[in-house]
Amino acid sequence: MHAGISIQATAKDELYAALARQAEALLSGEHDLVANAANFAALVWQHLPRISWCGFYFLQSDGDLLVGPFQGKPACVRIAMGRGVCGTAAVTRHTQVVADVNEFPGHIACDPVSRSELVVPLLRPDGTLLGVWDVDSAEQGRFDAIDKVGMEGLCRAFMDSLGN
Ligand code: SME
């Protein structure tokens, strides 16, 4: 059992390491937010198995999170700070790993098939919030600690690409 878990964990580590290298290569030389966000979402969508949606919400001057480049079905357009998993990640500035969205108070069901979510806050080097990166899955408990660390690393590569 333990050997199986360890092999799986190692494979997942390797997937995230490979994705981070690909993200750096794909985004290097371009600092545009929309261009890099669109390619980042496409890269993750293409390579990360068993996800149903992935994309960005960017913080607006009115305090709302507004949907940005994404892959998957059409999504909720605006999310108020503090609302749902995305708004919670934005307010707490901590990555949210939600194994079962039905047990998350205030979860916003953009897509009823979504069962688990991983949301990473995106912080600029000066500490201000750019927005959040949201990945959803139709599978309960899809995301674990390895996904959290791996996705945070991927998001660092994305933020570095913006050069600010
Ligand atoms: N479920 C999210 C909203 C965004 S969508 O899943 C695309 C939330 O509770 O914040």
Side-chain angles (χ1 to χ4, degrees):
M1 268 316 263
H2 286 294
I5 289 166
S6 150
I7 287 163
Q8 193 183 13
T10 303
K12 198 148 57 166
D13 281 348
E14 286 169 2
L15 172 63
Y16 279 107
L19 272 174
R21 285 193 298 274
Q22 287 186 41
E24 281 162 21
L26 183 66
L27 308 180
S28 73
E30 180 54 67
H31 297 319
D32 183 80
L33 174 62
V34 173
N36 284 2
N39 262 338
F40 184 86
L43 180 74
V44 173
W45 180 252
Q46 196 68 33
H47 293 286
L48 198 66
R50 294 152 33 231
I51 63 174
S52 57
W53 194 90
C54 66
F56 291 89
Y57 282 88
F58 293 129
L59 181 61
Q60 304 299 296
S61 52
D62 64 5
D64 280 353
L65 296 164
L66 182 66
V67 75
F70 68 91
Q71 297 278 319
K73 290 183 194 164
C76 309
V77 177
R78 280 183 186 267
I79 297 175
M81 284 291 269
R83 283 211 57 225
V85 186
C86 290
T88 300
V91 164
T92 61
R93 296 177 172 219
H94 288 298
T95 299
Q96 304 292 306
V97 182
V98 178
D100 183 351
V101 295
N102 295 328
E103 293 184 2
F104 189 94
H107 168 253
I108 302 162
C110 294
D111 179 353
V113 309
S114 173
R115 291 301 308 277
S116 56
E117 296 196 14
L118 171 54
V119 182
V120 181
L122 303 171
L123 297 172
R124 299 186 186 89
D126 67 2
T128 57
L129 185 81
L130 172 69
V132 300
W133 165 249
D134 176 9
V135 186
D136 302 342
S137 174
E139 188 181 306
Q140 190 174 328
R142 163 66 182 81
F143 305 107
D144 62 14
I146 296 168
D147 293 287
K148 175 181 183 286
V149 170
M151 204 67 82
E152 288 173 343
L154 274 179
C155 287
R156 269 195 300 280
F158 169 72
M159 291 305 292
D160 287 349
S161 80
L162 303 179
N164 56 19

